Amino acid sequence: MTRSKASRKTIAKQVVAIVALVGFFAVSLWLGDELWALSAYWPANGIGFGATVGVLLPITFTAAKRSFRRVNSAGSDRSPRWAVASIVCAAVAVVSALAVSRAIPGRRSSDSCLNEWQPCWVNHLYPGAFFVTLGSLAATVAFMTWLPSWMSKLRARSRR
């Protein structure tokens, strides 16, 4: 029994997605704590850091997505610049996603939460960081969704 090329591509995409997801969580356990260690030096400590990464994630993800699209535009002489911009935006988006993933609350045992590398130490040290991070993420996505339609209406009013 032979499989078609389309089904092989579909299976390959699924395998790559699973490997990327597992790799992301592995890197999150490794680097997520290091990123949250920076929150001690951030304005407003963990709450400010959570708000910052919550705002950065959708902005940099969208910028990377749009930059990657421009890399493939036909006959563009600025394609290398867009490639560099897309890689930088994607890197910042991944770092923001790593920090956001560590803000997710874990188990509630107080002894293990005090130690780093446990799933809930961020929320134990910075109570409410999860809600602030999630709220800033949702507010930024809502604003980015609402702003383009609002700007077109504002331009139409100013042209009258």
Side-chain angles (χ1 to χ4, degrees):
M1 182 165 101
T2 61
R3 292 187 179 177
S4 67
K5 288 183 181 181
S7 66
R8 287 182 188 163
K9 285 183 181 180
T10 304
I11 292 172
K13 286 180 182 179
Q14 292 172 350
V15 168
V16 167
I18 291 170
V19 167
L21 188 63
V22 169
F24 174 77
F25 284 120
V27 172
S28 171
L29 289 174
W30 175 50
L31 284 179
D33 289 326
E34 301 302 325
L35 291 171
W36 275 93
L38 294 173
S39 65
Y41 307 105
W42 211 261
N45 288 338
I47 302 299
F49 186 76
T52 302
V53 297
V55 167
L56 274 178
L57 180 60
I59 292 172
T60 54
F61 179 77
T62 304
K65 183 175 74 170
R66 290 182 180 176
S67 298
F68 275 123
R69 283 186 186 159
R70 292 195 179 192
V71 168
N72 295 329
S73 61
S76 175
D77 59 339
R78 297 183 181 165
S79 191
R81 292 180 187 166
W82 285 114
V84 170
S86 60
I87 290 170
V88 168
C89 288
V92 173
V94 167
V95 168
S96 299
L98 290 172
V100 168
S101 69
R102 289 307 286 168
I104 297 170
R107 288 174 261 127
R108 294 281 182 215
S109 64
S110 61
D111 292 338
S112 66
C113 283
L114 294 175
N115 300 324
E116 288 187 9
W117 299 95
Q118 296 297 322
C120 55
W121 78 269
V122 170
N123 287 294
H124 185 75
L125 195 58
Y126 305 113
F130 170 69
F131 296 112
V132 170
T133 304
L134 189 64
S136 64
L137 181 75
T140 304
V141 168
F143 186 73
M144 288 174 65
T145 303
W146 169 74
L147 183 65
S149 64
W150 181 74
M151 289 299 290
S152 65
K153 291 176 185 175
L154 187 63
R155 284 185 198 136
R157 286 184 190 167
S158 67
R159 289 179 187 158
R160 291 181 190 172

